[in-house]
Amino acid sequence: MRKLYSLLTTVVLIGLVSAANAQDGLSGLIKSSPADATKLLNSYAMPLFKGLGVDQNSGWNNTAETKKTLHFDVRITTSVAFISSADKTFDVTKIGLSNHVRPADASQTIAPTFGGQKNNGPLLNIYDDNGQKVSSFNMPAGVISVIPAPQVQVTVGLPQNTDITLRAIPKITLSNDVGSVSMIGFGLKHDIMQDIAGKTAGKLIPFDLAVAIGYSHLNLRKPLTVNPDDGAQPKDSQQSTDFSNQHLEGNFNSFMGQVIISKKLLAFTPFLAVGYNTTSANVTAVGNYPVTTGGTLLASTYTTFTNPVSISENVVSGARADIGFQLNLGFFRVYTSYTQAQYKSVNAGIGFGM
């Protein structure tokens, strides 16, 4: 089981994070002032943030039935969120950029997001305070239109028809270039039918009904590489030339609450759940970043900005519905579900328990 989880996690994270690293898209966005860079990175990466949020809130439960005291199950699953068509592009002229950043061609303003097509976006020019062009860069191509995330979780039955769940991704550093990811979360589920009908609930009511909550915290760290433009010199002696600690640091806090109804049919248990979920994202570009801000007849000059990008947003907020099943084959378990939320997503996995 441990080897399977390690393999699953490595494949999923390499596919997601190394793809972003190969495109170097996030680094390429920090080419303008902090305010403009923040707006560009936020618009480009928002589908990634949303997808991670939807994934974090998925796969918590596949039945309303709670476990007997100290009975347990261990599961390894993967959630995959599908980026919506509306979030695959954005208009660079509609996100509030300053006059320092403008499209080179006024008719070319639609850029791909992280989940868009794998073609470079429009060329953007950077201007100084005098309106002189000092640099330019292309908006990066899209990377991937699905956002995968693995989870491992352990659920233990408590007294009073209640389950407690712990889920985690142990910190995994894929490489110095790709970065690392980790997650921790916990959840509770309570069978309310027992509260309504008492111990005879199983005989009187032909289904299980429960309420559940889940909270998770995900950390994502990805190295960045932003060097001065060719030939650019520091604006003055006050500008730092140490660009060695550049990285993107993201913290995602997700919460979901749901009502679950299920019916056990021998080894097969279908379920339906409705509820609410939310995810807040706090993302910072840490380190020193050189941004070309002026020039002379001989060379362009750059200003060094420290921690220029800081994003704090509620990226997921709204209703969600889940449908799926759990299959119990003795000690072995199979789980699958489909979710309709800010993005559509699927979750599937295996486990064991009693």
Side-chain angles (χ1 to χ4, degrees):
M1 182 71 74
R2 182 176 179 181
K3 289 182 179 179
L4 175 62
Y5 173 71
S6 298
L7 176 62
L8 175 65
T9 300
T10 300
V11 169
V12 169
L13 295 178
I14 286 178
L16 175 60
V17 186
S18 66
N21 189 70
Q23 296 291 332
D24 202 28
L26 300 180
S27 294
L29 290 168
I30 308 178
K31 294 290 188 180
S32 54
S33 68
D36 289 328
T38 296
K39 291 172 183 176
L40 287 169
L41 195 149
N42 191 34
S43 298
Y44 176 80
M46 184 55 66
L48 170 63
F49 301 160
K50 283 186 182 180
L52 289 174
V54 171
D55 285 342
Q56 281 182 262
N57 287 321
S58 299
W60 281 96
N61 300 288
N62 290 76
T63 177
E65 184 181 17
T66 52
K67 302 182 180 303
K68 296 178 180 179
T69 302
L70 297 184
H71 283 215
F72 69 94
D73 70 39
V74 178
R75 67 173 70 180
I76 296 172
T77 66
T78 294
S79 295
V80 179
F82 300 90
I83 296 173
S84 66
S85 297
D87 280 355
K88 291 184 177 180
T89 61
F90 70 99
D91 190 330
V92 296
T93 66
K94 304 295 185 183
I95 61 174
L97 296 175
S98 72
N99 287 331
H100 292 286
V101 182
R102 290 173 254 163
D105 183 343
S107 67
Q108 302 292 322
T109 64
I110 304 301
T113 66
F114 186 92
Q117 293 186 352
K118 296 181 180 181
N119 300 314
N120 282 339
L123 180 69
L124 300 184
N125 291 334
I126 301 175
Y127 299 86
D128 64 17
D129 291 336
N130 297 317
Q132 299 297 312
K133 176 185 170 183
V134 295
S135 185
S136 62
F137 66 97
N138 276 101
M139 288 297 298
V143 177
I144 189 171
S145 60
V146 296
I147 308 300
Q151 297 107 12
V152 59
Q153 70 179 48
V154 178
T155 300
V156 178
L158 301 178
Q160 303 300 316
N161 311 304
T162 300
D163 288 349
I164 185 170
T165 296
L166 175 69
R167 64 163 38 174
I169 302 175
K171 184 177 180 180
I172 298 174
T173 301
L174 297 174
S175 75
N176 291 332
D177 293 328
V178 174
S180 64
V181 67
S182 64
M183 186 190 73
I184 188 71
F186 66 88
L188 290 171
K189 181 174 69 177
H190 180 68
D191 187 339
I192 60 176
M193 273 305 180
Q194 304 293 324
D195 299 330
I196 297 172
K199 296 181 179 180
T200 60
K203 297 180 179 179
L204 298 176
I205 303 171
F207 57 84
D208 292 294
L209 184 67
V211 293
I213 59 172
Y215 166 81
S216 58
H217 175 83
L218 183 143
N219 293 315
L220 180 67
R221 179 186 172 110
K222 183 194 179 304
L224 299 176
T225 302
V226 181
N227 294 313
D229 289 342
D230 290 342
Q233 300 296 320
K235 183 177 69 173
D236 53 44
S237 61
Q238 304 300 312
Q239 307 307 311
S240 174
T241 58
D242 178 9
F243 311 121
S244 60
N245 190 37
Q246 297 174 347
H247 66 275
L248 196 70
E249 197 166 281
N251 298 292
F252 300 83
N253 294 295
S254 295
F255 172 83
M256 75 86 199
Q258 59 184 179
V259 178
I260 312 163
I261 185 171
S262 68
K263 171 63 177 178
K264 188 172 183 179
L265 304 169
L266 299 177
F268 179 71
T269 304
F271 82 95
L272 174 67
V274 293
Y276 179 85
N277 68 166
T278 181
T279 297
S280 62
N282 294 281
V283 180
T284 303
V286 178
N288 297 320
Y289 296 81
V291 174
T292 300
T293 53
T296 66
L297 293 175
L298 299 177
S300 58
T301 59
Y302 67 80
T303 301
T304 300
F305 294 99
T306 301
N307 302 346
V309 173
S310 182
I311 298 169
S312 182
E313 281 203 33
N314 199 26
V315 297
V316 172
S317 180
R320 64 178 289 128
D322 302 82
I323 187 170
F325 67 85
Q326 173 176 306
L327 186 63
N328 292 0
L329 303 174
F331 200 55
F332 187 69
R333 307 280 190 268
V334 177
Y335 312 94
T336 188
S337 63
Y338 167 82
T339 299
Q340 181 71 56
Q342 276 64 33
Y343 290 156
K344 298 174 182 178
S345 70
V346 294
N347 175 275
I350 59 173
F352 62 89
M354 57 179 291

